[in-house]
Amino acid sequence: MAKAGMNLKIRNGYSQYLEVVNGQKIATSPITLEKGVVNNSNWLGAEVEVQHSSVSHEIYFIAEKSIKCPTNFKFKLRAQHFAQEPIFRFDSDGATHRNDLESIPLSERQVTTPHFHKFNENGINFANKTDVLKTTADAQAIVMDINFGLAHFSTEANLQDSQGKRPIVQETQTDLPIPPNQDPVAGIKFE
Amino acid sequence: MKPALECDPIIGAIKRDFGTLWQCRNRGNSIEIVTPFSTATQKFVSVFITRRDDSYVVTDGGWVSSEDQTYGLDEVEEDSGFDAIIEHFCKAFKIYSTREKGGRFFYKKVSDDSLISSAVYDVANFISSVVNSLSIPVQEEVKHREAFRNDANSFLLKQFPNAKFGQHPLDDYKTAIFHAVIIYPAQMSLVAYVTGTRNNYFVNQFQRAVVNFELAAQSRLKAQIKGRIAFINNEAGGYSPQTVNELSPLLTKYHAQPLQWTERESALSVL
């Protein structure tokens, strides 16, 4: 029986799902972060179609970055033939995920950011950390620089730019960049 | 007589396993405590501890009401009872709030080290309660919209194999999104879906459709738009003829045609 939160298309076509995520992909145009792409004025975004070496369905790569908190960014792969929601995702910051998997120890159900989200063979979305993200210093370097983050995502998602190189995020925003500070209450007064 | 179950090994294992769910990390001059409290939206609650003068402040860090949907409440609409829920749980856990720098921060202040745990307990319980309460209508609504979207997508795809879904087709108004776009060699047709389990959700979707068609009417691509339709789900719980009568003239003002879902076949000649 299908459980709540289970994606049947992914479960039934799991090898095709893995092919979409793991197969070689090329971002067909530059990844330029702009306002107006994300439906939230506090975020910059870019959406680029990717060409897959063996899958003909439409696949998009999406990058999003918080303007207020530049260490908060996301990378996503969207393939609508599988799901409306992203089928593979990286979150640099934000809330800790609770994995809805009953057969693993309690401590493993809690996955702090930065982390990846993908689907397992049962079509359940779950969060996990790669070995790189489990290393505190590497994880911190990735969070502090969106292009380090993209390099890691590109390795995991087998993504290249049209020159066959590591993709890079560019920004058109001309405002003064906000220095990275992960403290969400910096400067807030509490009476 | 020896009891059938011993407390010590079991409570020991539970305490140890729950204990691993408390995590801490530095965030500038504050620290984030990831707690074992969790939400129905598959998140663990975090609280932030910071120093102000001689006190410790334990706060949600602005995450509960953030537009970034940190706790996964991505479809919370205005009028979803947010304010009443917040007020209720602020009272229940004696939580204060302040609005600053475009955010709202819920917090508790303590001056004595020995009371930090107590404040963490209250703030974490508050966050979990609020998020869980807000997630009930949201989950139901999300499932409803998904079901309608699937029905409508399948209907269109059968007639128009060149239909694409969830698109931003206007390059000069990238925020405009349509549930479906039928692509022709030099033209396109735009379709918005209007549904909702409750009337406020239904109204909200209707208004979004109006705004998206208004943007389409202003777009430099307007001459390439062939048909414009809003599918009105007249079988939805939130449907009301009064809402449709009130808002339909706005759709027609921007050249879009409202069409009842039960009469969907007539869309084919327009698209």
Side-chain angles (χ1 to χ4, degrees):
Chain A
M1 201 181 85
K3 267 181 62 180
M6 182 183 276
N7 184 311
L8 289 176
K9 278 189 189 163
I10 291 180
R11 190 184 73 168
N12 297 338
Y14 197 61
S15 56
Q16 291 98 304
Y17 167 78
L18 289 179
E19 179 58 21
V20 170
V21 174
N22 298 330
Q24 193 183 65
K25 291 176 282 297
I26 293 168
T28 53
S29 46
I31 303 159
T32 308
L33 293 173
E34 296 172 297
K35 280 188 177 176
V37 176
V38 182
N39 198 10
N40 178 338
S41 58
N42 297 321
W43 285 69
L44 301 174
E47 185 172 313
V48 172
E49 189 162 2
V50 300
Q51 217 168 45
H52 194 288
S53 55
S54 62
V55 177
S56 58
H57 288 284
E58 277 186 357
I59 303 168
Y60 288 89
F61 166 75
I62 296 158
E64 296 173 356
K65 179 179 162 181
S66 164
I67 296 170
K68 285 184 187 167
C69 179
T71 53
N72 190 357
F73 50 85
K74 297 172 192 295
F75 303 118
K76 304 170 180 178
L77 284 181
R78 177 164 284 154
Q80 295 213 22
H81 65 290
F82 275 128
Q84 292 281 334
E85 65 185 305
I87 59 160
F88 188 70
R89 188 176 99 212
F90 171 80
D91 295 336
S92 74
D93 199 354
T96 298
H97 188 76
R98 174 172 63 80
N99 274 332
D100 204 4
L101 304 171
E102 291 153 302
S103 55
I104 57 170
L106 183 59
S107 62
E108 291 172 27
R109 294 178 62 184
Q110 187 183 60
V111 188
T112 56
T113 51
H115 59 215
F116 282 91
H117 274 266
K118 53 183 167 188
F119 286 85
N120 70 8
E121 64 281 9
N122 294 318
I124 304 279
N125 187 320
F126 72 103
N128 76 316
K129 279 185 191 277
T130 56
D131 288 340
V132 170
L133 297 180
K134 284 178 190 162
T135 314
T136 313
D138 290 349
Q140 189 62 12
I142 280 170
V143 168
M144 298 307 273
D145 185 332
I146 189 168
N147 277 315
F148 281 175
L150 182 54
H152 187 47
F153 178 89
S154 301
T155 306
E156 294 298 310
N158 200 351
L159 181 69
Q160 298 177 343
D161 68 10
S162 54
Q163 311 294 316
K165 291 185 185 155
R166 210 175 71 184
I168 288 178
V169 172
Q170 292 162 341
E171 284 182 45
T172 52
Q173 204 202 6
T174 50
D175 300 343
L176 276 178
I178 296 174
N181 183 356
Q182 287 189 279
D183 183 355
V185 292
I188 302 294
K189 293 190 197 91
F190 295 94
E191 296 307 329
Chain B
M1 202 179 87
K2 204 180 164 201
L5 276 177
E6 296 281 354
C7 276
D8 286 353
I10 293 181
I11 192 69
I14 293 172
K15 280 185 176 176
R16 188 185 61 238
D17 290 347
F18 269 68
T20 63
L21 299 181
W22 290 101
Q23 299 197 54
C24 182
R25 55 179 166 184
N26 290 93
R27 281 185 174 264
N29 292 326
S30 305
I31 55 173
E32 176 186 356
I33 307 283
V34 181
T35 76
F37 294 81
S38 62
T39 70
T41 55
Q42 288 185 261
K43 305 289 180 191
F44 278 96
V45 167
S46 280
V47 298
F48 298 85
I49 303 181
T50 196
R51 289 295 301 254
R52 292 290 185 273
D53 302 321
D54 293 331
S55 300
Y56 294 98
V57 177
V58 179
T59 163
D60 76 318
W63 281 10
V64 166
S65 58
S66 159
E67 283 178 25
D68 298 349
Q69 302 145 7
T70 313
Y71 282 115
L73 294 169
D74 46 337
E75 297 275 347
V76 173
E77 311 264 348
E78 285 168 32
D79 230 17
S80 60
F82 185 84
D83 289 341
I85 286 167
I86 293 282
E87 196 187 331
H88 176 72
F89 288 112
C90 277
K91 272 189 193 153
F93 295 107
K94 301 190 175 56
I95 305 290
Y96 297 87
S97 80
T98 181
R99 287 176 199 270
E100 240 186 287
K101 295 192 175 177
R104 188 172 179 191
F105 298 82
F106 297 96
Y107 68 97
K108 210 151 189 175
K109 225 171 175 181
V110 289
S111 47
D112 190 336
D113 292 13
S114 66
L115 296 176
I116 294 177
S117 299
S118 174
V120 168
Y121 180 81
D122 283 339
V123 174
N125 256 317
F126 165 79
I127 296 168
S128 163
S129 303
V130 168
V131 173
N132 286 337
S133 300
L134 287 169
S135 74
I136 298 169
V138 171
Q139 306 279 358
E140 186 194 345
E141 178 67 11
V142 167
K143 275 188 204 148
H144 168 82
R145 282 189 200 177
E146 206 174 272
F148 184 64
R149 199 166 55 211
N150 284 342
D151 287 351
N153 287 359
S154 305
F155 169 75
L156 288 172
L157 208 52
K158 217 176 278 171
Q159 313 296 333
F160 305 101
N162 49 351
K164 293 190 186 291
F165 304 105
Q167 298 288 306
H168 301 264
L170 311 173
D171 58 8
D172 50 349
Y173 291 105
K174 286 187 177 164
T175 50
I177 181 164
F178 290 90
H179 289 101
V181 179
I182 320 280
I183 311 276
Y184 296 101
Q187 281 187 308
M188 60 181 160
S189 289
L190 307 176
V191 187
Y193 305 159
V194 177
T195 191
T197 52
R198 299 176 183 195
N199 188 245
N200 59 311
Y201 292 141
F202 185 87
V203 170
N204 216 308
Q205 274 222 315
F206 209 128
Q207 289 171 341
R208 279 188 199 176
V210 169
V211 170
N212 285 325
F213 281 116
E214 181 181 2
L215 294 173
Q218 290 169 11
S219 169
R220 64 182 187 82
L221 300 176
K222 64 184 175 202
Q224 296 170 28
I225 302 171
K226 182 173 175 257
R228 298 168 171 91
I229 277 187
F231 272 137
I232 311 294
N233 185 5
N234 52 336
E235 296 169 329
Y239 169 82
S240 98
Q242 196 188 338
T243 304
V244 176
N245 289 341
E246 192 178 307
L247 295 174
S248 289
L250 289 170
L251 279 178
T252 40
K253 181 176 165 193
Y254 301 116
H255 324 295
Q257 189 181 331
L259 201 65
Q260 309 254 18
W261 177 239
T262 49
E263 292 159 23
R264 54 190 172 274
E265 298 295 334
S266 54
L268 305 178
S269 56
V270 181
L271 298 174

